[in-house]
Amino acid sequence: MKRSRDKAASELFAALYPRLAGWCRRLVDDDETAHEIASEAFTRLWARWTSVEEPRGFLYVTAANLVRDHWRKLERERRALRRATAEAATRPHTEQADPSVRLLVQSLPERLRVPILLHYYADMPVREVSVLTGRKEGTVKADLHAARELLRAHLRRSLDHTP
């Protein structure tokens, strides 16, 4: 039994790790961090191996949560750096005018961010996002639409403020 469990885990790792790590790489823009997140997702899956019904979905949702934690940590670091810089500078800090889609996605409420990450970044169909998040397909579609509208509005505002 343990041998077949180990073999199934090895096969799953070989099949999914490269894509999961690549997906994380696109989100965090750093190879080492992406591999750490993907590895941690697999570690957490392995710890719950016998109770997880959908390993692929578990991996992506876990990785999305780890990416979110990474983004939060970066934002805390950015705020601390801005505070330190503002205290040292004579002029106040101005926000960067160049919009980054990744940063905009990061700023979405979790209810909208998770479906965006799973659907657009992990290429999961709406049906699968629905199953993984426990929401009806119509709700997922509405959340994706709302998220796109928010992103569109943020981009418009950012572009309107550029010289």
Side-chain angles (χ1 to χ4, degrees):
M1 170 119 176
K2 183 172 176 1
R3 180 168 276 274
S4 65
R5 177 182 164 212
D6 290 349
K7 184 175 187 222
S10 293
E11 289 172 357
L12 184 74
F13 184 84
L16 296 181
Y17 183 84
R19 186 166 181 202
L20 181 66
W23 179 70
C24 292
R25 169 69 174 87
R26 289 193 309 270
L27 295 172
V28 299
D29 202 27
D30 176 65
D31 284 332
E32 185 177 336
T33 303
H35 284 286
E36 286 174 10
I37 289 170
S39 296
E40 179 64 21
F42 270 95
T43 300
R44 291 181 185 190
L45 172 63
W46 182 248
R48 295 165 185 79
W49 184 252
T50 56
S51 64
V52 173
E53 290 182 32
E54 178 51 51
R56 180 176 181 261
F58 179 90
L59 287 169
Y60 276 90
V61 169
T62 301
N65 289 334
L66 292 168
V67 165
R68 181 198 62 220
D69 293 346
H70 172 74
W71 284 345
R72 285 179 177 165
K73 179 183 173 206
L74 287 179
E75 184 54 33
R76 285 191 302 271
E77 290 170 357
R78 278 190 215 110
R79 276 190 298 232
L81 182 60
R82 281 196 300 260
R83 277 194 305 272
T85 304
E87 291 170 5
T90 56
R91 59 182 173 80
H93 176 74
T94 56
E95 285 297 314
Q96 196 174 4
D98 182 31
S100 164
V101 173
R102 189 180 48 207
L103 292 175
L104 292 175
V105 169
Q106 176 184 342
S107 73
L108 289 171
E110 185 170 357
R111 176 183 65 83
L112 302 178
R113 184 178 55 246
V114 170
I116 287 284
L117 291 173
L118 295 175
H119 184 66
Y120 290 107
Y121 288 84
D123 297 324
M124 290 184 184
V126 169
R127 178 173 302 148
E128 194 169 347
V129 174
S130 169
V131 170
L132 292 174
T133 60
R135 299 178 193 156
K136 293 180 179 177
E137 284 186 45
T139 303
V140 171
K141 289 177 183 177
D143 288 346
L144 289 170
H145 175 75
R148 286 190 306 268
E149 290 301 314
L150 274 173
L151 293 171
R152 189 175 292 123
H154 284 303
L155 285 170
R156 266 197 210 107
R157 276 197 303 275
S158 296
L159 293 173
D160 288 346
H161 290 92
T162 55

